[in-house]
Amino acid sequence: MSDAFTTHVLNINTGSAETVFDLTGDCERFLRVAAAGRDGLLNVFVPHATAGIAILETGAGSDSDLLAALHALLPADDRWQHRHGSPGHGRDHVLPALVAPHATLPVIGGQLELGTWQSVCLVDTNRDNADRQVRLSFLG
């Protein structure tokens, strides 16, 4: 395959609590090799029916605010038709409709072009499956 397209899979363990997991450093490490100073696009994709990718500020409370907003929009109770797993697990299957399972980001000169406070994050509300894969793909 051409070096214009490079892909790598991250294996992430998100633990037993709902989380916003910062992937920015992983993306930057991948791009140092994959982009090698070139312009292009980074696609970040999580191949799971109960997780998403978000671009947001972390560390100043926004990650906790996102989880709180998801709790308000998608309560973990018995209202969901999808009922296997822990109580309220059906909401986890609705999450990717609100937090997409992918993001495509510009890469300029081999560097991820994010705003000052932006981070690339895996959003995982599924407490039943902590083992996640995230596919990073560079096209340039």
Side-chain angles (χ1 to χ4, degrees), residues 7-56:
T7 190
H8 175 70
V9 175
L10 301 171
N11 292 300
I12 307 287
N13 186 292
T14 57
S16 60
E18 297 176 356
T19 190
V20 175
F21 187 94
D22 192 338
L23 300 167
T24 309
D26 294 299
C27 293
E28 291 169 341
R29 281 186 288 282
F30 169 70
L31 289 171
R32 275 196 284 280
V33 174
R38 298 188 319 257
D39 295 350
L41 295 171
L42 173 67
N43 183 264
V44 183
F45 175 70
V46 56
H48 298 283
T50 59
I53 300 294
I55 309 300
L56 75 155

Side-chain angles (χ1 to χ4, degrees), residues 18 70-71 74-80 87-89 91-92 127:
E18 297 176 356
L70 290 172
H71 271 282
L74 304 171
D77 57 25
D78 64 357
R79 73 182 71 202
W80 308 101
H89 175 66
R91 78 181 197 105
D92 300 327
R127 294 170 292 148

Side-chain angles (χ1 to χ4, degrees), residues 100-111:
H102 60 87
T104 301
L105 305 163
V107 177
I108 307 297
Q111 302 291 313

